Amino acid sequence: KLRPSGKKIKPYTNELRDEAGKLIRREHFRECGGLLLSVGRESNGKVTVLYDSSGRAIKQWRSTEELYLAWLDWVIDRRPAVLINEHHIISKFLYRAIMKGVKICQVVHQEHQKDLSTPFGELNSRANLVRNLANFDLVSILTEWQRQDLLALGVEGDNIRILPNTTKPISSPLTPAALARSPQKGIAIAQLSNRKQIDHALQAVKRLQNQCTSP
């Protein structure tokens, strides 16, 4: 016996729980109210079912990850193509994608270890990504240091390329507009979260202003 939980997780989403309150199935609806997707458990494991506009089940997968990979293969309708992924959660399963005519590039712009003092420490949440780097057509990392750490772990590095965030200084002369720009001002574009360390940018600007105004 299933009953709605009464809890709206997000718009057009509902939960079904058993009498003990255990989550059995989560249903996702179209804007018109029709059932789009259900994610739940059966006797033989987790099942994700996709429905058409009439409410008829058209296909099922054993995980939402497999559904996502199938959607990617469908939505990339022009081949050859290049798929560039930066999201570390998607990278945990994207290496399993088999899409004819599509090259997959995985961007790694954060550390892969919990302890940064040694390349042989415990891996962080990117452990599955590190174990399967060889399955990507191309892997972009930021530093030579990280490449060496990956090689020390036994990772095959033929598909690894170093693409740092920094750029080389512009060799051409600065324009008059660039020369007239105040060195005490700048722009930082990022999320307002602790991990983006916006306070560091503000402190740097403050130090620069102090240097410019000091005798």
Side-chain angles (χ1 to χ4, degrees), residues 187-191 196 198:
I187 297 175
I189 302 176
Q191 294 177 336
K196 295 301 182 180
I198 300 298

Side-chain angles (χ1 to χ4, degrees), residues 7-205:
K7 179 182 179 183
K8 283 291 185 180
I9 306 302
K10 58 180 68 174
Y12 314 115
T13 300
N14 187 44
E15 288 183 345
L16 294 176
R17 297 179 178 270
D18 60 17
E19 293 182 332
K22 181 180 179 181
L23 178 63
I24 300 299
R25 186 167 68 248
R26 182 172 286 135
E27 297 175 330
H28 304 271
F29 296 88
R30 291 180 168 84
E31 188 174 4
C32 64
L35 183 60
L36 172 64
L37 189 73
S38 68
V39 181
R41 291 191 175 277
E42 296 184 355
S43 58
N44 57 349
K46 188 175 181 180
V47 175
T48 299
V49 183
L50 180 67
Y51 299 84
D52 64 14
S53 58
S54 67
R56 179 176 61 92
I58 54 178
K59 194 165 185 177
Q60 70 177 29
W61 297 265
R62 288 299 175 187
S63 69
T64 52
E65 297 173 353
E66 297 300 327
L67 165 61
Y68 191 84
L69 294 178
W71 174 79
L72 283 176
D73 194 21
W74 174 80
V75 78
I76 304 176
D77 58 348
R78 298 183 64 179
R79 316 285 176 100
V82 176
L83 173 61
I84 302 176
N85 176 55
E86 295 192 17
H87 202 289
H88 77 279
I89 294 179
I90 297 175
S91 70
K92 294 179 180 179
F93 61 88
L94 183 60
Y95 68 89
R96 301 202 305 263
I98 301 176
M99 296 180 283
K100 186 177 181 180
V102 178
K103 298 294 184 181
I104 302 177
C105 174
Q106 176 60 45
V107 179
V108 182
H109 50 67
Q110 288 179 308
E111 69 279 357
H112 61 274
Q113 297 159 287
K114 292 184 177 180
D115 181 4
L116 302 182
S117 64
T118 170
F120 305 107
E122 183 180 357
L123 298 176
N124 58 22
S125 60
R126 292 167 182 77
N128 203 44
L129 165 63
V130 172
R131 296 189 187 102
N132 296 282
L133 283 181
N135 292 330
F136 293 100
D137 295 292
L138 190 68
V139 177
S140 167
I141 62 175
L142 295 178
T143 66
E144 174 63 23
W145 188 352
Q146 186 171 29
R147 189 182 79 89
Q148 292 299 331
D149 283 352
L150 289 169
L151 295 178
L153 291 176
V155 173
E156 296 182 11
D158 292 343
N159 61 340
I160 296 177
R161 300 293 184 272
I162 301 172
L163 297 175
N165 286 333
T166 56
T167 59
K168 294 181 179 180
I170 300 176
S171 58
S172 59
L174 294 176
T175 63
L179 292 172
R181 185 178 63 85
S182 171
Q184 301 179 43
K185 297 180 180 180
I187 297 175
I189 302 176
Q191 294 177 336
L192 294 179
S193 63
N194 291 335
R195 64 192 182 95
K196 295 301 182 180
Q197 299 178 324
I198 300 298
D199 57 318
H200 288 200
L202 296 175
Q203 292 169 16
V205 172

